[in-house]
Amino acid sequence: MAELILLWLKCIILYNAVDAVFEDQVGKFDWRQQYVGKVRFSHFDTHVQSSKKVIVATENNVFAALNTRTGELFWRHVDKSGPEGNIDALLHHGQDAILVVGNGRLLRSWDVNVGGLNWEIVLDSGSFQKACLVGQQGTVKHVAVLKKNIISLHYLSNGHQKWIENLPDSETVDYQTVYSGGNGEVYALGIVPHSHIVIIAYSTDDGEIIKQISVEAPWLSNIVASCAVIGQGVLICVDSATPSLYMYNLNPNMDDLQMTQIPLQSLGLEVAPDFQPVLVSHQPNSAHQPLSEFFLQLGPDNFLLLQFNNGQIVTLRDFKPALLVSFATTGEKTIAAVMSPKNKTACSINLFSAETGRRLLDTTLIFVMDPNGGKPEKIYIQPFLKKDDSVGYRAMVQTEDHTLTFIQQPGRVMWIREEALSDVVTMEMVDLPLTGTQAELEGEFGKKADGLMSMVFKRLSSQLILLQAWISHLWKLFYDARKPRSQVKNEVTIENLSRDEFNLQKMMVMVTASGKLFGIDSKTGSILWRHYLNDVPSNAAFKLMVQRTTAHFPHPPQCTLLIKDKDTGLTTLHVFNPIFGKKSHVTPPALPQPILQSLLLPLMDQDYAKVLLLVDDQYKVSAFPSTKNVLQQLQEMASSIFFYLVDSSQGRLSGYRLRTDLSTEQIWEVVIPMEIQRIVSVKGKRPNEHVHSQGRVMGDRSVLYKYLNPNLLAVVTESTDTHQERSFVGIILIDGVTGRIIHEAVQRKARGPVHIVHSENWVVYEYWSTKSRRNEFSVIELYEGMELYNSTVFSSLDRPHAPQVLQQSYIFPSAISTMEATLTEKGITSRHLLIGLPSGGILSLPKMFLDPRRPEIVSEQSREENLIPYAPELMIRTEWFINYNQSISRVRGIHTSPSGLESTCLVVAYGLDIYQTRVYPSKQFDVLKDDYDYMLISSVLLALFFATMISKRLAEVKLLNRAWR
Amino acid sequence: MWHRERILLLLAFVQSVLVVGWCFTEMEAGPGAAMSTQTNGDRFKIEGRAIVPGVKTQDWVSTARVLVDGEEHVGFLRTDGSFAVNDVPSGSYVVEVVTPTYRFEAVRVDITSKGKMRARLVNYIKTSEVIRQPYPLQIRSSGPHSYFMKRETWGWTDFLMNPMVMMMVLPLLIIVLLPKVVNTNDPEMRKEMEQSMNMLNPNPELPDVSELMTKLFSGSKGSSKAGSSSKGTRPAAKRRGKHSGASRAKKLSMQNNNADLDSWDQ
């Protein structure tokens, strides 16, 4: 019976705690953007003339089809991240796309139309080199895969292996490429560097070696980099040392043992100094031989279109300057597209006939380069035949900043995809500035020196301004109402950006791994500014800090991005305005030494910029900005500035104190033995977090005070021993000022990855239990006890009593990708945990469920406290998904930010996709809900009003009648 | 602290259950790694099929994925709804089919080092419990995900069934119906009722809250109306004292002292 009641109670509580999205709220204040990542391979779907698809395979292990008209996704498949899901090759034939995945581990065939898998097979082990389609008598039926030591042939229809052969002498010969000209043979080309090329011809039918030959080539080191196959099976290589072209006919009837040398000088050509020439050939159809025309790149901006004709090389056209070239085929026509710089901000693309090198008329396309973007890197051409048999085309240009731009003639940009956003590293949400009128009103309260009369005048004038603004707003409403709805567009531009009533609209400043910064409007998701930093090292770590918010008009807001090279530790600062994206006039200090730690102090200089302290490897501290005022403040404050350093390679945590001369002094050190465990992460609390109540009221009306130490660090360690019986996860709570270990917990038979959230007086972490093979959550809460030691101020140095520690663990029925807690303006609203799941959902789990005081046996007191009875398993309810069916792939981070409304927390989840929404952890208690029934309340009021009128009248009549009786 | 010990106890219990479960897998996983037909080295393949009843596979496979232990291994669905996750080493895994639209139950798949497979229901609490499922997996969708809460819509039935409304309607009914049932013209009855009314109001000198309010809000102008609004229940003497300012009302109330009761009853 008791259990029944318990269950019933649980159900009720669960039902009440539901915080879900209503169906009519879809898209009202949330948006999602889906990305694919930096494109590695791309093919236009050509097997249907009217196809609108372009298929892309990316460096983020994503395979997708994009709509060429809109740039949106038709479908997308996200494989495992890391080398196991790496896409090595993409071959496209008809409506099938063949992928080689995971260094030649898997071969997959996809149906491009549906986006479903046709088949998947496992290939024999060996490092992948190259794959190609093999045609015979005009049809393509096979795919050949070349690995380090084997070559295999598979059917396109079902992936079955037709034959597999060991490559001869694979220990000495480096087989690099495979080629098929559609004549029933497959050639494997290998090389012994600086000695000779090995050419093996296999029969497509049974894998028998038709011919095996080795050709002297002492000048050659890499086939892929400097060779290509052209025409009727002629291998052509370029050597920069001699400099000359070498040719060899692969045709089995020929038995030359030498390559024919053609010095480039004999063609009147010259190689740019220190440049490795590159050959570009084109095979329009795998069932047929490649073109005899090919490009030869002789310098960074010099391309030549050459033709191989009866053993002779003819120069068709010299392109200088040219940035990029590409071949494309439609029907029977093959064209060569050349991109050449026009002026500083634009490039032009022109088409040339591949056979003759003649320029095609009316094929110029202007590509305007974004001054805040990168240089063009790759160009993909989608040609099509017009009705009059001339060639038209569209072009997709990929730039260094991972942007895809799709352009139509004569230069109309159809869409832009900012693929850099698939790899957001860190972000901040910055308040929008006030409008002119708002700033005027604020200004009224700023100065106090004015006299009474001028104050009155100011008051009146500001009221007038308000009235004016209101009337113009009304007029606009009226004006818009007359227009059809589709025409009314609230375009957000950088000019009309302003803060809304409740500060719900903010500027999302996003930093991506490629070094491109974005400013995104949080309401609509439109990109308002972008800025590409082109000198960012590939392995950089970023830290974004808001030094000055928009609150200090007329000083512009200021953000500082710290870019640190992970190898050298050298750091640069990029200071910019987060609203407009422009680089600030403030010159950041040059930092010659590697930087270990950075701190944003609550101190401000006379221009209201917060002070950033940087600690270098000599433990010297430098400040930015470093004006006299700042240095003076620092000297005064130095005794209360402490910082910590983590050296995870040596397992050392150390605390330092700032001296008045800006040198430092070590005050504590904790060494975690490296042989047993290693430090995985160190988490402090968020500096902008507010805690509203100091304690919790218990069932017996006493108060349990929270241990709110702002200097508390949660250190997560993992055992170096990964055996499932001996592995463990440790958590150490340590005071960052004194180095005092507040609490230590060990989870035995557990391993990472550990996800942790540290906030208020609690730490929630999640780990994998190796014993039970499940994910578990654990929560630690710290309490001071029934009495507060010093209720006015918290000092780490004066806290004699150790806090009470409560801990409880739960089972979680899914793996998790990331975790964050909601954050609100004043911290009154109850907290939820936002958990990113691998399935793409973001679960909003009330913190109430992770409360170590959840009782096993319900008592009167626990019921009064609203504690949920303990249940080992936490539930995942799809109603708690804040992003309903808008799955977010590979969630890497969740950023929460308070809004002007206490009930509302702004959430941005980023990974491969970006999703922005609002959550109301305690429902919308401070504004009318959007489903508030105005009709009902007004009709009830009216009805009551009339009822009183009528009944009053009736009563009067009755009284009168009675008086006359 | 006490419940922490409880958890420890509980964990110890779970552990003992687990040890039994673990023994099972260990026993089945004998030494040596012989190659089975579907193996590739010591890597295995999890196969199965996902079905959404009544929906064409083309409509949902492009958004579906098969996740093994989170994102540890990923598989994709073929155009006919079947799937195979390749390259999985031996062990115990939770396999789930994930789509944004349809809900599928997760299944635990155990693979021995020999490549023997079995599927069972996922039970995170009793991890060793075995309720067999078919292998190759047959995962049927149990319908679309329910992401949304229903809006509370306003309807007449909701309004009428509201306890507040019920509390108001029922006395009203009694008020209307009671005089019809009881004959008020009978003087004996009337006397009896009056007595019972007095019983209800034991202390006539104590000011009534509602009356206090009426007095407060009605002020000077609406006193006559106020008089009519609070008639009947209280003895006339008391009211007379109260509304002394309004002579007409006094007269009326004096005249209709008994009639008041009637009007209240009607």
Side-chain angles (χ1 to χ4, degrees):
Chain A
M1 191 59 205
E3 267 178 38
L4 250 170
I5 293 171
L6 238 165
L7 202 82
W8 178 78
L9 244 171
K10 223 170 93 179
C11 284
I12 288 204
I13 287 164
L14 281 186
Y15 186 77
N16 287 339
V18 160
D19 159 58
V21 187
F22 295 107
E23 194 153 7
D24 52 85
Q25 288 179 326
V26 165
K28 228 172 167 181
F29 43 69
D30 64 319
W31 49 263
R32 175 179 68 162
Q33 287 170 357
Q34 290 186 302
Y35 294 97
V36 292
K38 187 189 179 187
V39 172
R40 183 180 283 167
F41 306 108
S42 171
H43 284 278
F44 286 99
D45 183 18
T46 48
H47 88 282
V48 191
Q49 187 70 40
S50 61
S51 176
K52 292 186 288 186
K53 285 194 185 77
V54 53
I55 53 171
V56 291
T58 71
E59 298 196 341
N60 292 28
N61 307 349
V62 176
F63 178 54
L66 306 178
N67 187 335
T68 54
R69 304 287 143 84
T70 61
E72 279 156 19
L73 292 173
F74 276 115
W75 45 259
R76 180 180 72 172
H77 289 289
V78 181
D79 205 344
K80 205 177 154 178
S81 52
E84 281 180 65
N86 188 45
I87 299 172
D88 301 319
L90 166 67
L91 303 168
H92 183 209
H93 176 254
Q95 59 172 338
D96 294 337
I98 316 292
L99 290 186
V100 182
V101 178
N103 198 11
R105 190 78 184 149
L106 298 169
L107 191 66
R108 283 197 188 119
S109 166
W110 294 93
D111 186 318
V112 171
N113 280 343
V114 183
L117 187 67
N118 288 326
W119 46 261
E120 172 182 301
I121 58 151
V122 182
L123 297 173
D124 279 1
S125 57
S127 105
F128 172 78
Q129 294 294 331
K130 181 97 177 163
C132 81
L133 293 168
V134 180
Q136 212 169 2
Q137 283 127 29
T139 53
V140 179
K141 279 187 184 155
H142 303 101
V143 55
V145 179
L146 180 82
K147 292 200 165 188
K148 205 102 209 160
N149 47 10
I150 41 174
I151 179 167
S152 58
L153 200 73
H154 301 264
Y155 290 99
L156 266 186
S157 54
N158 53 16
H160 289 311
Q161 187 177 294
K162 190 170 185 183
W163 50 258
I164 181 162
E165 294 294 330
N166 282 318
L167 293 164
D169 310 321
S170 57
E171 304 85 48
T172 50
V173 183
D174 182 13
Y175 290 95
Q176 288 184 334
T177 188
V178 60
Y179 158 77
S180 164
N183 50 1
E185 281 140 22
V186 181
Y187 295 90
L189 306 180
I191 185 173
V192 177
H194 306 293
S195 166
H196 59 274
I197 303 175
V198 177
I199 299 162
I200 306 169
Y202 289 94
S203 158
T204 312
D205 297 322
D206 49 7
E208 197 187 330
I209 294 179
I210 297 171
K211 194 180 80 173
Q212 181 175 356
I213 219 163
S214 56
V215 182
E216 289 283 318
W219 40 269
L220 188 64
S221 60
N222 192 327
I223 298 184
V224 179
S226 45
C227 293
V229 180
I230 54 161
Q232 288 147 320
V234 175
L235 180 72
I236 184 158
C237 297
V238 63
D239 174 32
S240 57
T242 351
S244 45
L245 286 171
Y246 290 87
M247 288 189 297
Y248 182 77
N249 199 334
L250 296 174
N251 205 316
N253 306 331
M254 308 279 202
D255 274 325
D256 306 345
L257 290 172
Q258 282 290 326
M259 292 184 96
T260 327
Q261 183 182 7
I262 303 173
L264 284 176
Q265 268 178 340
S266 69
L267 299 166
L269 305 174
E270 215 172 297
V271 182
D274 297 330
F275 187 78
Q276 170 67 39
V278 180
L279 289 163
V280 183
S281 68
H282 182 58
Q283 190 173 10
N285 185 338
S286 316
H288 300 290
Q289 60 208 22
L291 291 182
S292 338
E293 291 80 20
F294 59 97
F295 274 112
L296 171 64
Q297 186 178 8
L298 289 176
D301 60 345
N302 185 13
F303 286 85
L304 288 159
L305 183 63
L306 303 176
Q307 188 180 39
F308 175 76
N309 200 348
N310 295 328
Q312 295 295 315
I313 299 243
V314 186
T315 309
L316 292 178
R317 199 168 180 123
D318 187 350
F319 299 103
K320 191 173 185 178
L323 293 173
L324 298 166
V325 294
S326 168
F327 281 111
T329 307
T330 175
E332 295 297 306
K333 281 190 183 171
T334 298
I335 46 108
V338 177
M339 179 188 253
S340 43
K342 195 162 177 256
N343 51 38
K344 275 220 163 130
T345 58
C347 291
S348 66
I349 303 170
N350 282 295
L351 290 196
F352 298 86
S353 160
E355 279 107 54
T356 58
R358 206 176 303 133
R359 194 172 154 252
L360 299 177
L361 289 174
D362 299 328
T363 54
T364 308
L365 194 152
I366 306 294
F367 170 67
V368 180
M369 287 191 289
D370 184 359
N372 294 322
K375 290 192 196 77
E377 210 174 42
K378 263 184 200 170
I379 172 171
Y380 305 94
I381 301 290
Q382 184 192 27
F384 53 87
L385 287 177
K386 290 185 191 160
K387 283 199 182 94
D388 58 348
D389 219 33
S390 64
V391 181
Y393 71 108
R394 301 183 192 96
M396 186 163 82
V397 182
Q398 186 181 353
T399 44
E400 278 174 341
D401 50 351
H402 307 182
T403 309
L404 288 181
T405 314
F406 199 81
I407 341 166
Q408 204 176 25
Q409 274 177 286
R412 193 167 71 86
V413 174
M414 293 180 76
W415 47 263
I416 294 176
R417 285 185 71 88
E418 291 287 357
E419 291 303 339
L421 283 172
S422 68
D423 214 350
V424 174
V425 185
T426 176
M427 65 167 291
E428 277 295 338
M429 280 179 118
V430 183
D431 294 351
L432 290 176
L434 300 164
T435 54
T437 28
Q438 284 168 330
E440 186 93 357
L441 290 180
E442 293 286 320
E444 187 188 332
F445 305 106
K447 299 158 209 148
K448 282 180 184 140
D450 298 337
L452 185 73
M453 277 313 278
S454 66
M455 288 285 270
V456 171
F457 272 120
K458 240 185 201 169
R459 178 81 259 181
L460 283 176
S461 69
S462 57
Q463 292 288 2
L464 249 170
I465 290 168
L466 269 185
L467 186 75
Q468 206 177 350
W470 187 65
I471 289 170
S472 69
H473 174 72
L474 277 187
W475 172 247
K476 196 171 171 273
L477 270 184
F478 174 71
Y479 194 74
D480 283 349
R482 294 194 308 177
K483 277 197 267 183
R485 183 156 288 193
S486 56
Q487 281 185 15
V488 183
K489 260 194 222 159
N490 287 323
E491 284 268 317
V492 184
T493 54
I494 244 165
E495 282 76 35
N496 63 17
L497 267 185
S498 68
R499 201 180 299 179
D500 59 334
E501 269 175 299
F502 296 128
N503 201 5
L504 291 166
Q505 187 180 5
K506 294 200 181 193
M507 176 68 84
M508 292 159 52
V509 180
M510 301 194 116
V511 181
T512 64
S514 63
K516 196 167 186 184
L517 312 182
F518 291 90
I520 300 176
D521 171 33
S522 77
K523 196 175 178 187
T524 58
S526 49
I527 297 170
L528 296 178
W529 58 263
R530 51 202 104 196
H531 188 90
Y532 179 59
L533 306 171
N534 34 14
D535 49 351
V536 170
S538 58
N539 59 345
F542 298 91
K543 188 173 175 185
L544 181 64
M545 285 155 290
V546 183
Q547 274 197 299
R548 182 164 53 220
T549 62
T550 38
H552 305 288
F553 188 79
H555 297 290
Q558 182 179 325
C559 274
T560 300
L561 179 68
L562 202 122
I563 307 157
K564 179 175 169 179
D565 190 318
K566 269 185 195 157
D567 295 338
T568 60
L570 288 175
T571 304
T572 50
L573 293 177
H574 174 68
V575 187
F576 62 100
N577 180 333
I579 304 297
F580 300 105
K582 291 202 185 77
K583 199 169 172 179
S584 169
H585 310 298
V586 183
T587 39
L591 303 164
Q593 296 284 340
I595 297 296
L596 297 178
Q597 175 72 292
S598 65
L599 313 100
L600 195 65
L601 297 182
L603 293 181
M604 283 188 195
D605 72 346
Q606 68 272 32
D607 292 341
Y608 306 102
K610 282 185 188 162
V611 177
L612 178 69
L613 283 193
L614 298 159
V615 185
D616 64 17
D617 63 345
Q618 305 295 313
Y619 305 104
K620 284 257 168 52
V621 173
S622 52
F624 168 68
S626 57
T627 54
K628 220 172 180 184
N629 175 301
V630 171
L631 295 177
Q632 196 184 340
Q633 283 192 61
L634 272 178
Q635 271 181 10
E636 285 164 19
M637 291 281 292
S639 60
S640 62
I641 296 174
F642 297 83
F643 62 92
Y644 67 94
L645 295 175
V646 185
D647 187 351
S648 57
S649 61
Q650 288 174 36
R652 203 170 58 205
L653 278 158
S654 37
Y656 290 83
R657 203 183 72 190
L658 197 67
R659 289 206 196 122
T660 44
D661 59 342
L662 292 192
S663 61
T664 58
E665 175 186 18
Q666 183 172 339
I667 46 177
W668 59 266
E669 187 176 49
V670 172
V671 178
I672 289 158
M674 279 302 290
E675 305 82 54
I676 304 160
Q677 51 190 339
R678 62 199 161 84
I679 299 171
V680 181
S681 70
V682 179
K683 269 254 175 156
K685 287 176 189 172
R686 288 178 62 167
N688 56 346
E689 176 184 275
H690 291 271
V691 183
H692 183 255
S693 63
Q694 290 234 325
R696 284 174 65 160
V697 182
M698 316 278 283
D700 58 359
R701 301 289 184 274
S702 59
V703 176
L704 186 60
Y705 287 100
K706 294 174 183 171
Y707 179 77
L708 297 167
N709 183 350
N711 311 318
L712 197 66
L713 303 173
V715 182
V716 181
T717 62
E718 275 178 38
S719 62
T720 44
D721 190 349
T722 51
H723 187 271
Q724 58 180 13
E725 287 294 312
R726 294 187 294 273
S727 67
F728 65 89
V729 166
I731 185 142
I732 304 164
L733 300 180
I734 193 165
D735 190 301
V737 171
T738 57
R740 181 179 175 195
I741 293 176
I742 308 288
H743 181 65
E744 201 170 353
V746 169
Q747 224 76 41
R748 294 197 186 286
K749 291 177 186 163
R751 66 171 161 79
V754 179
H755 299 274
I756 184 164
V757 172
H758 182 192
S759 177
E760 289 189 26
N761 64 328
W762 48 264
V763 177
V764 171
Y765 58 99
E766 185 262 9
Y767 52 88
W768 171 259
S769 163
T770 51
K771 191 178 66 188
S772 317
R773 285 167 296 178
R774 64 191 179 200
N775 291 286
E776 289 179 3
F777 262 101
S778 199
V779 54
I780 297 176
E781 287 197 0
L782 303 171
Y783 289 98
E784 293 236 334
M786 295 300 170
E787 272 167 41
L788 213 51
Y789 176 70
N790 179 353
S791 62
T792 48
V793 70
F794 189 97
S795 168
S796 290
L797 302 169
D798 180 30
R799 224 40 158 173
H801 310 298
Q804 294 175 14
V805 182
L806 304 178
Q807 183 163 17
Q808 212 168 52
S809 296
Y810 313 87
I811 301 162
F812 192 67
S814 167
I816 77 168
S817 310
T818 185
M819 186 158 69
E820 187 54 83
T822 59
L823 193 68
T824 52
E825 181 91 38
K826 297 270 178 260
I828 299 166
T829 310
S830 59
R831 310 292 294 269
H832 277 206
L833 287 173
L834 301 171
I835 301 167
L837 304 175
S839 66
I842 292 182
L843 182 78
S844 176
L845 184 74
K847 168 70 182 49
M848 208 161 80
F849 285 94
L850 295 162
D851 182 349
R853 301 188 62 249
R854 280 176 71 176
E856 272 173 68
I857 299 151
V858 186
S859 67
E860 196 61 47
Q861 290 199 359
S862 70
R863 203 169 300 152
E864 189 137 342
E865 265 189 83
N866 264 333
L867 292 176
I868 309 162
Y870 180 77
E873 193 168 352
L874 296 170
M875 276 193 284
I876 295 181
R877 293 167 56 111
T878 43
E879 285 93 342
W880 290 352
F881 283 9
I882 58 170
N883 58 337
Y884 47 104
N885 65 356
Q886 307 281 298
S887 308
I888 305 150
S889 292
R890 289 201 203 128
V891 192
R892 220 171 320 107
I894 296 174
H895 182 89
T896 53
S897 165
S899 72
L901 282 177
E902 170 56 31
S903 66
T904 311
C905 168
L906 303 175
V907 177
V908 180
Y910 53 88
L912 197 57
D913 305 336
I914 296 174
Y915 182 78
Q916 189 276 141
T917 191
R918 300 172 193 166
V919 291
Y920 316 100
S922 304
K923 301 207 172 163
Q924 283 175 287
F925 56 80
D926 46 6
V927 279
L928 285 183
K929 283 188 199 128
D930 51 0
D931 64 337
Y932 188 77
D933 207 336
Y934 294 96
M935 276 304 287
L936 181 72
I937 198 108
S938 47
S939 59
V940 164
L941 270 177
L942 272 177
L944 280 175
F945 177 71
F946 283 115
T948 30
M949 296 290 279
I950 292 163
S951 55
K952 185 183 161 194
R953 177 83 194 132
L954 285 178
E956 269 172 10
V957 169
K958 193 162 190 176
L959 278 174
L960 198 64
N961 286 344
R962 206 167 285 161
W964 281 106
R965 198 185 281 168
Chain B
M1 280 298 153
W2 60 272
H3 44 263
R4 215 170 125 203
E5 283 168 12
R6 279 285 177 98
I7 293 163
L8 278 178
L9 210 89
L10 190 88
L11 280 178
F13 173 70
V14 172
Q15 191 175 356
S16 62
V17 173
L18 274 175
V19 167
V20 179
W22 193 242
C23 286
F24 159 78
T25 22
E26 288 291 286
M27 271 185 322
E28 213 172 36
M35 297 267 260
S36 107
T37 44
Q38 47 179 210
T39 63
N40 183 4
D42 54 347
R43 297 286 181 127
F44 307 95
K45 181 159 131 186
I46 299 172
E47 282 180 292
R49 188 184 191 84
I51 304 146
V52 182
V55 181
K56 268 194 274 172
T57 46
Q58 286 100 306
D59 298 342
W60 62 273
V61 284
S62 64
T63 55
R65 286 205 296 171
V66 184
L67 299 184
V68 178
D69 266 9
E71 260 180 328
E72 199 86 359
H73 304 276
V74 178
F76 297 99
L77 278 93
R78 293 198 197 102
T79 37
D80 61 349
S82 62
F83 62 85
V85 185
N86 286 301
D87 253 9
V88 183
S90 62
S92 176
Y93 302 94
V94 175
V95 179
E96 40 187 342
V97 177
V98 177
T99 79
T101 20
Y102 299 102
R103 185 172 59 229
F104 292 92
E105 288 295 318
V107 181
R108 188 176 277 284
V109 173
D110 301 324
I111 310 172
T112 63
S113 57
K114 279 181 184 163
K116 245 180 151 184
M117 320 272 260
R118 70 161 185 200
R120 56 189 170 108
L121 278 184
V122 180
N123 189 337
Y124 285 110
I125 299 174
K126 288 186 219 158
T127 44
S128 59
E129 191 187 54
V130 179
I131 299 171
R132 288 297 272 259
Q133 295 275 299
Y135 188 88
L137 303 170
Q138 292 284 327
I139 307 178
R140 275 183 103 76
S141 164
S142 51
H145 279 303
S146 60
Y147 289 115
F148 302 111
M149 290 296 291
K150 264 255 164 89
R151 276 260 189 235
E152 284 172 24
T153 47
W154 194 82
W156 281 106
T157 46
D158 299 343
F159 179 72
L160 289 178
M161 297 317 268
N162 191 327
M164 290 296 282
V165 175
M166 299 269 264
M167 266 162 68
M168 276 162 67
V169 168
L170 273 176
L172 211 87
L173 281 177
I174 293 167
I175 292 161
V176 175
L177 291 179
L178 210 66
K180 302 266 151 66
V181 182
V182 187
N183 188 4
T184 43
N185 287 334
D186 186 8
E188 262 180 55
M189 193 68 172
R190 201 173 284 178
K191 211 172 191 180
E192 211 173 284
M193 272 179 95
E194 224 159 282
Q195 266 175 6
S196 65
M197 283 296 165
N198 285 341
M199 288 267 283
L200 271 175
N201 224 0
N203 189 359
E205 299 309 314
L206 205 78
D208 192 288
V209 181
S210 66
E211 232 154 282
L212 223 111
M213 292 311 252
T214 35
K215 209 173 139 190
L216 235 157
F217 288 115
S218 58
S220 56
K221 100 180 191 219
S223 51
S224 67
K225 285 164 215 160
S228 67
S229 74
S230 62
K231 46 190 147 162
T233 47
R234 274 150 289 274
K238 182 185 161 200
R239 215 178 325 124
R240 215 180 295 142
K242 249 196 235 161
H243 302 289
S244 53
S247 60
R248 189 167 167 256
K250 191 163 82 182
K251 203 170 140 197
L252 272 175
S253 63
M254 271 174 78
Q255 270 181 354
N256 299 320
N257 191 13
N258 285 335
D260 266 359
L261 199 71
D262 285 7
S263 74
W264 187 82
D265 284 342
Q266 278 157 17

